[in-house]
């Protein structure tokens, strides 16, 4: 069946009946998310081995494109914590220029996935694998921030997890208590911030003080990362703490939009970078579509179009490298913030990008004062929320194959990298699925009329279950001449080409002894395969 090209961004439907009230709600939500995105975009870029402006302009450009072209009402796109480990490894191994090429190539792959309508396939990735690599990435993000959290004097951190731990141990003598105090205060403050306002609101509600209760509601909506960033940066600057800042490490942040530049391109480079491209595309697809599903559940708005979302992600990832950006995807924290702040259409995503652009263009010098240990605290908080740590405690409730996939993917992510983890995890999932499906196929012997050998087939006769036909072959070969074999397919729900080939071998063995093979009670799928393959004529008679 030919593939029909369908490119219809969700904004085209969301703006029907759009009014001033919805615009103001989207504008307020977008401004809130833009403020939340500021520290996260810088932190993700710095942790990935890039400059802070790479993260900021990725959030602006990719966020704008994903909002305008995406398949979700409320999805917010930009740099994500899940990419930190991947990007850092690519930068360490191939360099920043090749990261740009790999990101653009991943954009092409993502667009192709959406064009070929592969968006729903992401749902078939087992949840155990998703949890395994998500927890692994969260651990790696936390490990990558120990250096700045402790204020260690290390020029460059290795990409490998265990090498990072060795490097940290070798340089622990340069521990900076000021950096440690700021990072710890940031993390603890972010953990307590929502609980503090929730407790205060309950207390004031019980005291029947509506004014103070309203103030608590407003305070609870102020993003915790912004509060931590502003207060701790002001404290460190006022008291002149001897800590490393964005300015001391990276210099000035340019206020203007980065210039459009084409990275050097060759097919040899593309072939070398195919594995990183595949990793970025796979992670981007999984992350963005999982985020869109969460947004559907939280917002109650019409369900997203996964194929349109992948095409939007593809366009965004293809464009941002030309402005020095990094990989982008849907971001759960910012998307949920958008929904809770009142966003209902992609206009909120556009407002988020514009808000962030105005902050960068007008207030970039202020970002130079931000201590890197504060950003480390924010990323510790991101890693903590990112991981589903309770799943480790609940593993006893799950079967062995679930434990194997989750723990195996987690270990491979930490020890090797995400590419190896996902590949091995999916392979293990496929093998375990094949084993489980093969166990559902069965053959039952029963007495037939006039001495016929009668067998009932149950389940799916596919490549993983063909060995279960061997006992029939053995019985035919050991039995009398001119056997009459009947296969009752009343409970055979599926047959593939390997199963058909096995039936051909059985027919050959029966004919060599001068006997006959008959199939009875065939369902539609096995019958169509048998007829199209010409096996019906070989049998002579079908039931």
């Amino acid at each position: 069946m030919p593939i029909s090209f369908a490119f219809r961004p969700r904004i085209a439907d969301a703006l029907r009946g759009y009014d001033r009230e919805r615009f103001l709600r989207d504008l307020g939500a977008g401004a809130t998310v833009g403020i939340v995105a500021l520290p996260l975009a810088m932190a993700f870029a710095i942790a990935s081995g890039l400059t802070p402006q790479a993260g900021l302009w990725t959030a602006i450009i990719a966020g704008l494109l994903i909002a305008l072209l995406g398949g979700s009402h409320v999805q917010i796109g930009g740099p994500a914590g899940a990419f930190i480990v991947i990007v850092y490894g690519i930068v360490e191994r191939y360099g920043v220029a090749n990261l740009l090429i790999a990101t653009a190539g991943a954009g092409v792959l993502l667009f192709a996935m959406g064009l070929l309508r592969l968006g729903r396939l992401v749902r078939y990735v087992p949840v155990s694998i998703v949890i395994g690599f998500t927890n692994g990435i969260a651990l790696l993000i936390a490990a990558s921030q120990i250096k700045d959290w402790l204020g260690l004097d290390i020029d460059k951190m290795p990409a490998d997890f265990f090498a990072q731990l060795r490097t940290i141990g070798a340089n622990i003598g340069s521990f900076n208590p000021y950096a440690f105090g700021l990072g710890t205060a940031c993390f603890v403050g972010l953990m307590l911030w929502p609980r503090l306002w929730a407790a205060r609101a309950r207390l004031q509600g019980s005291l029947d003080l509506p004014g103070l209760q309203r103030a608590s509601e407003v305070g609870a909506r102020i993003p915790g990362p912004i509060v931590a960033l502003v207060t701790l940066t002001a404290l460190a600057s006022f008291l002149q703490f001897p800590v490393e800042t964005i300015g001391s490490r990276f210099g000035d942040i340019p206020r203007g939009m980065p210039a459009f530049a084409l990275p050097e391109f060759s097919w040899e480079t593309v072939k070398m970078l195919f594995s990183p491209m595949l990793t970025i595309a796979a992670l981007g697809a999984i992350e963005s579509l999982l985020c869109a599903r969460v947004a559907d559940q939280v917002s109650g708005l019409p369900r997203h179009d996964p194929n349109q979302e992948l095409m939007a992600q593809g366009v965004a990832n293809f464009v941002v490298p030309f402005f020095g950006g990094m990989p982008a995807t849907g971001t759960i924290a910012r998307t949920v913030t958008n929904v809770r702040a009142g966003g209902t259409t992609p206009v909120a995503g556009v407002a988020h990008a514009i808000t962030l652009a105005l902050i960068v263009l007008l207030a970039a010098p202020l970002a130079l004062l931000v201590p890197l240990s504060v950003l480390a605290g924010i990323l510790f908080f991101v890693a903590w929320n990112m991981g589903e740590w309770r799943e480790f405690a609940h593993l006893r409730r799950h079967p062995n194959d679930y434990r194997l996939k989750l723990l195996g993917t987690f270990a491979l992510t930490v020890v090797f990298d995400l590419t190896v983890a996902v590949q091995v995890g999916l392979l293990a999932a496929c093998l375990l699925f094949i084993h489980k499906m093969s166990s559902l196929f069965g053959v039952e012997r029963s007495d037939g009329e006039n001495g016929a050998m009668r067998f009932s087939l149950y389940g799916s006769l596919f490549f993983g279950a063909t060995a279960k036909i061997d006992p029939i072959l053995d019985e035919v070969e050991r039995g009398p001449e001119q056997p009459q074999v009947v296969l009752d397919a009343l409970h055979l729900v599926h047959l593939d080409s390997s199963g058909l080939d096995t039936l051909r071998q059985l027919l050959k063995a029966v004919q060599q002894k001068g006997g006959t093979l008959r199939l009875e009670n065939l369902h539609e799928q096995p019958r169509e395969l048998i007829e199209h393959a010409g096996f019906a004529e070989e049998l002579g008679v079908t039931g």
Side-chain angles (χ1 to χ4, degrees), residues 240-310:
Q240 296 185 343
F241 287 164
V243 293
E244 192 174 18
T245 64
I246 291 178
S248 64
R249 179 179 292 184
F250 298 101
D252 290 337
I253 297 178
R255 293 195 190 185
M257 184 174 179
F260 180 88
L262 292 173
E264 292 187 13
F265 174 87
S266 70
W267 283 113
E268 291 298 322
T269 304
V270 171
K271 287 189 286 186
M272 176 184 70
L273 295 173
F274 182 73
S275 180
M277 286 180 193
L278 198 59
T279 302
I280 294 172
L283 182 57
I286 293 171
E287 189 81 3
S288 63
L289 296 185
L290 286 177
C291 176
R293 289 181 66 184
V294 171
D296 292 344
Q297 296 167 3
V298 174
S299 67
L301 294 168
R303 291 175 59 186
H304 71 284
D305 179 348
N307 299 311
Q308 182 63 41
E309 189 62 33
L310 286 181

Side-chain angles (χ1 to χ4, degrees), residues 80-245:
F83 277 118
I84 290 176
V85 179
I86 303 300
V87 173
Y88 191 86
I90 294 173
V91 170
E92 282 288 293
R93 184 173 179 181
Y94 301 103
V96 175
N98 286 327
L99 168 67
L100 302 180
I101 295 175
T103 303
V108 174
L109 293 177
L110 282 166
F111 190 88
M113 290 170 64
L115 179 64
L116 297 174
R117 300 183 176 277
L118 301 179
R120 298 192 184 279
L121 291 181
V122 173
R123 295 188 178 185
Y124 295 114
V125 178
V127 66
S128 54
I129 292 179
V130 174
I131 293 173
F133 77 66
T134 300
N135 285 8
I137 290 173
L139 177 61
L140 291 173
I141 291 173
S144 70
Q145 296 308 299
I146 295 176
K147 165 187 172 290
D148 289 331
W149 175 48
L150 300 179
L152 303 182
D153 186 14
I154 301 173
D155 291 334
K156 199 163 190 178
M157 286 286 287
D160 178 70
F161 174 72
F162 296 104
Q164 287 179 348
L165 297 183
R166 286 194 298 270
T167 303
I168 291 169
N171 292 272
I172 196 66
S174 60
F175 170 72
N176 185 331
Y178 297 96
F180 174 74
L182 288 172
T184 303
C186 179
F187 177 74
V188 173
L190 290 174
M191 294 288 286
L192 296 178
W193 180 254
R195 296 175 176 82
L196 173 67
W197 286 106
R200 184 171 295 182
R202 286 194 298 269
L203 176 63
Q204 291 166 349
S206 64
L207 295 176
D208 194 22
L209 298 173
L212 290 178
Q213 187 172 355
R214 175 60 180 167
S216 295
E217 292 175 357
V218 173
R221 292 182 181 179
I222 300 176
I226 290 297
V227 176
L229 195 72
V230 172
T231 56
L232 294 176
T233 298
L235 178 66
S237 179
F238 179 75
L239 298 179
Q240 296 185 343
F241 287 164
V243 293
E244 192 174 18
T245 64

Side-chain angles (χ1 to χ4, degrees), residues 309-333:
E309 189 62 33
L310 286 181
M311 287 190 280
Q313 300 287 339
V315 172
N317 279 281
F318 182 77
V319 171
V320 290
F322 299 122
F323 297 93
M326 59 187 291
T329 186
T331 56
I332 292 178

Side-chain angles (χ1 to χ4, degrees), residues 345-369:
T345 75
V347 173
V350 175
H352 137 266
I354 294 174
T355 299
L356 195 52
L358 291 175
I359 294 174
V360 173
L361 295 175
L362 300 177
L366 297 178
L368 302 179
L369 302 175

Side-chain angles (χ1 to χ4, degrees), residues 448-467:
E449 298 178 359
N450 301 322
M453 302 166 62
R454 187 178 183 85
F455 301 89
S456 297
L457 306 182
Y458 295 85
S460 173
L461 180 53
F462 72 114
F463 65 91
T466 54

